[in-house]
Amino acid sequence: MRSLDSALVILSATVLLVAAVEIATFAGIDGPLVGVAVSTVAGGLVYAASGLIAWWRRPSNRLGLIMVMGAVIWLLNALAFSARPVLAAVGVVTATLPLAVIVHLLLVFPSGWLRSALARWTVIAGYAVCLVLQIPLYLWSPDASPHGMLAVADRPRLVTIGSWVQIGTGMCVMVITAVILSVRFRRASARRGVLGPLYLYGVAVVLVVPLVPELSRFTTQFGDVASDATQLGLLVMAPILFALAMMRGGFARTAELEQLGEWLGSPVGDRPDLNAALAKALGDDSVQLSYWLGDGGGYVDAEGRALDPARTDTAHGPAEIRVGGHRVGAIFYDENLIADQELVRSAGRVIAIAVDQQRLTVQLRASRRALQQSRARIVEASDRERRRIAQNLHDGLQAELVLLSVEAQRLAAAEHTTTPEERTQAAERLRWRIDHAAAGLRDLVYAVMPAPLIEQGLGPAIEDLVDRMPVPTKLEMSVNGNLPEAVQATAYFVIAEALNNAARHAHARHIRTRLMDRDGVLLLEVDDDGIGNAHPSGGFGLTGLQDRVAVLGGTLRIDSPVDRGTHITAELPCPLTSET
């Protein structure tokens, strides 16, 4: 950085010296042209100052370098006012190059790089229009250069044709530039408030500046001087706006290694948030530092909240952060703002150790958050189940019992008004309805806690469940009978929910169920050949199972690719209970 500072100071002094010498060559100019000539040099100094500041603030961003190159072009352009014919000829040759510089700045902003082949060819075409198509304007016009030193003939018609060809080709270049910028603007998720006005200004300047001389003839009475002043004013504002836009809120910082190094070296209590420091260093406020939890935890933020790696609002990374070959996190960033991926990876390498250390804290936060959410879901599921039972009792069994009571009273009152045969038939109907109500009650109890599970244990309960399946189901089971009741209940409901989903929702034709306890862990597997695409977020069932399994310290994994069936695996710690 010290070497860069010294180089920029030397470059600044050189530009000032060249500008002073150039102004000295204007000694023989009289009238208003002196002001225009000096203003052109001043414009070059504005380009130089803006470029040097941007270069200093963003060393690896080429935007500053391009603005310094623009300053050189402006100083060459100002030579057109020199009293020395040879120098003035240089100014004539480079007369329209400032327009190509603006096209170049527009297409490299804000990353400093031309990100596509179309952008690169458009910039090349812009410089060709300003250099190659400028040739007919002075080659066949003796008045265009001092003493006609660049002219080979006087052909006004060819000059007119060449001028229109240059304008038409330049318009095509600007149309392509506008299309590229509009696509970038549409894809940008952030900084639209900066990109939009800057793009509009740049396109408008390049389109309007060549037409200013023609427009001034109809709208002013000041002739060429007013026209030149208007063009200078429009063009000089460009580097200032580009430099301010690049540094306003930050675009693609390049001192990120130094800044993040300072963050790592500062006392812990004085450190800013790592994500904020990273966003400031990279110049992208949409940067999201994430931590990798693994084991199905995925990416989470610093508070332990899950992130969606496929963020659809813009084209984001992520750039993975690794320590010792193991993934510890990632940086999500806007590729429209930071085109240099190596820049982001470098920043990731700088903070990799800090991310790995913070990952433990984030993992604890994520676990606490998951526990809180799981508890809330369990409470919600319990309340929902109680409401379901109450609703079933009220709408089903209670209503049935009321009707049975009325029927019993009617049967008792009809003892002396009906024949014994009629009373027998009524009693049989009443008995049938009582049996039906009892069956409904048994079904309700079975749904809450199946009788085979309570009376016989997990193995017979699973066999009974499989026997009642409407889809061919193969069962493989090797389970010890002395499992804790909580483990048995959880295992039963995991199998029941998986079988129910396979038969009702996945439209499976075959199902395989496997239970095995080994080394103190009960392994449950349910495979089907259905439509797949099962996910816990699709309803309460699988989410509730995950919560029940998590309460016991187990894991539940769901592999369900579309049209390739579903594979559900659960592992439950199951210390054996002593027999009584």
Side-chain angles (χ1 to χ4, degrees):
M1 292 299 295
R2 287 193 295 270
S3 299
L4 176 64
D5 292 345
S6 301
L8 293 180
V9 169
I10 295 173
L11 183 58
S12 302
T14 303
V15 170
L16 289 173
L17 179 61
V18 170
V21 172
E22 190 168 14
I23 291 176
T25 65
F26 300 155
I29 304 176
D30 297 325
L33 287 180
V34 175
V36 176
V38 174
S39 297
T40 305
V41 175
L45 294 178
V46 171
Y47 263 86
S50 301
L52 291 170
I53 292 173
W55 200 345
W56 176 61
R57 291 289 300 274
R58 309 285 191 272
S60 67
N61 191 311
R62 295 184 177 182
L63 205 63
L65 172 62
I66 295 171
M67 282 192 277
V68 172
M69 291 172 52
V72 174
I73 289 174
W74 271 71
L75 293 177
L76 292 175
N77 194 267
L79 291 174
F81 301 98
S82 175
R84 300 179 179 275
V86 175
L87 296 180
V90 174
V92 171
V93 172
T94 61
T96 57
L97 273 180
L99 299 177
V101 173
I102 292 183
V103 172
H104 197 172
L105 288 173
L106 284 171
L107 293 180
V108 301
F109 184 83
S111 65
W113 296 82
L114 295 169
R115 300 196 293 266
S116 67
L118 179 60
R120 288 190 289 272
W121 283 108
T122 301
V123 170
I124 293 173
Y127 282 107
V129 168
C130 294
L131 276 176
V132 178
L133 297 186
Q134 182 75 6
I135 294 176
L137 305 188
Y138 56 77
L139 195 64
W140 294 315
S141 175
D143 296 334
S145 58
H147 309 297
M149 62 182 303
L150 296 177
V152 296
D154 186 7
R155 298 287 188 272
R157 183 176 178 82
L158 293 179
V159 171
T160 301
I161 295 174
S163 176
W164 281 109
V165 170
Q166 185 183 40
I167 292 175
T169 309
M171 289 293 182
C172 292
V173 170
M174 284 316 302
V175 168
I176 297 174
T177 301
V179 171
I180 295 174
L181 297 181
S182 64
V183 171
R184 290 184 186 176
F185 180 78
R186 189 168 60 252
R187 291 178 178 174
S189 62
R191 305 298 184 200
R192 286 188 173 183
V194 176
L195 296 177
L198 188 64
Y199 286 167
L200 289 175
Y201 170 80
V203 172
V205 165
V206 178
L207 292 176
V208 171
V209 165
L211 302 178
V212 167
E214 300 296 329
L215 296 175
S216 64
R217 296 174 186 175
F218 300 99
T219 58
T220 70
Q221 298 178 350
F222 300 103
D224 294 338
V225 175
S227 172
D228 293 340
T230 302
Q231 289 177 307
L232 285 173
L234 291 172
L235 293 171
V236 166
M237 288 297 296
I240 299 175
L241 293 178
F242 276 103
L244 290 176
M246 187 176 70
M247 292 182 289
R248 175 190 166 190
F251 278 105
R253 292 189 68 95
T254 57
E256 78 290 339
L257 298 181
E258 292 79 5
Q259 290 190 0
L260 292 176
E262 293 175 3
W263 182 90
L264 293 172
S266 61
V268 175
D270 298 333
R271 288 182 182 178
D273 176 70
L274 180 55
N275 195 98
L278 181 65
K280 183 179 179 182
L282 295 179
D284 179 5
D285 287 345
S286 68
V287 160
Q288 175 67 64
L289 177 63
S290 61
Y291 303 83
W292 178 253
L293 299 186
D295 295 329
Y299 287 112
V300 299
D301 63 12
E303 298 301 321
R305 292 184 292 262
L307 295 181
D308 180 8
R311 302 200 303 189
T312 58
D313 56 340
T314 184
H316 282 73
E320 290 187 356
I321 302 174
R322 293 181 174 270
V323 173
H326 299 288
R327 178 168 48 176
V328 298
I331 301 173
F332 291 85
Y333 65 99
D334 192 340
E335 295 174 350
N336 292 309
L337 299 181
I338 308 175
D340 187 3
Q341 297 182 4
E342 184 58 33
L343 192 69
V344 184
R345 286 193 287 266
S346 298
R349 288 191 289 268
V350 171
I351 63 174
I353 301 299
V355 170
D356 194 27
Q357 292 174 345
Q358 288 192 4
R359 190 165 63 100
L360 299 177
T361 303
V362 171
Q363 193 166 15
L364 291 176
R365 291 174 181 168
S367 299
R368 183 177 61 185
R369 180 180 296 276
L371 179 60
Q372 291 173 343
Q373 294 174 345
S374 176
R375 287 174 175 174
R377 287 194 299 267
I378 290 174
V379 171
E380 181 183 356
S382 300
D383 291 342
R384 188 169 57 250
E385 185 65 15
R386 281 193 291 268
R387 286 193 297 269
R388 185 187 69 82
I389 294 173
Q391 188 72 25
N392 288 344
L393 288 173
H394 178 273
D395 296 344
L397 185 60
Q398 176 178 300
E400 186 70 17
L401 291 176
V402 170
L403 293 176
L404 289 174
S405 175
V406 173
E407 185 68 21
Q409 290 177 358
R410 183 183 303 165
L411 181 61
E415 182 179 358
H416 303 291
T417 60
T418 59
T419 65
E421 190 174 314
E422 291 175 335
R423 288 196 299 272
T424 300
Q425 293 177 352
E428 289 178 353
R429 287 196 302 268
L430 181 60
R431 174 61 182 272
W432 181 86
R433 293 180 64 180
I434 291 173
D435 291 342
H436 182 72
L441 182 59
R442 283 194 300 271
D443 290 341
L444 181 61
V445 172
Y446 192 96
V448 175
M449 185 62 68
L453 180 62
I454 299 174
E455 298 169 359
Q456 305 175 47
L458 179 62
I462 294 297
E463 291 176 349
D464 177 69
L465 184 64
V466 169
D467 289 340
R468 293 187 290 109
M469 284 294 295
V471 177
T473 303
K474 180 180 179 182
L475 175 62
E476 301 176 15
M477 184 166 53
S478 175
V479 178
N480 189 292
N482 297 324
L483 297 176
E485 292 183 358
V487 173
Q488 294 190 52
T490 299
Y492 178 87
F493 285 112
V494 168
I495 297 294
E497 180 67 22
L499 292 178
N500 178 66
N501 287 341
R504 295 181 55 186
H505 305 299
H507 308 296
R509 291 175 295 179
H510 299 88
I511 305 174
R512 184 180 70 87
T513 303
R514 182 167 175 254
L515 290 84
M516 178 180 297
D517 58 339
R518 59 185 182 187
D519 300 327
V521 175
L522 179 61
L523 175 65
L524 313 174
E525 292 182 350
V526 177
D527 295 320
D528 67 63
D529 58 358
I531 61 175
N533 200 30
H535 195 275
S537 62
F540 295 111
L542 293 177
T543 302
L545 293 183
Q546 284 188 326
D547 294 335
R548 293 193 64 150
V549 170
V551 166
L552 297 181
T555 59
L556 178 70
R557 293 185 295 274
I558 302 171
D559 181 19
S560 186
V562 178
D563 295 329
R564 295 177 60 186
T566 300
H567 179 69
I568 296 179
T569 304
E571 294 182 359
L572 301 173
C574 55
L576 297 181
T577 59
S578 59
E579 296 192 33
T580 57

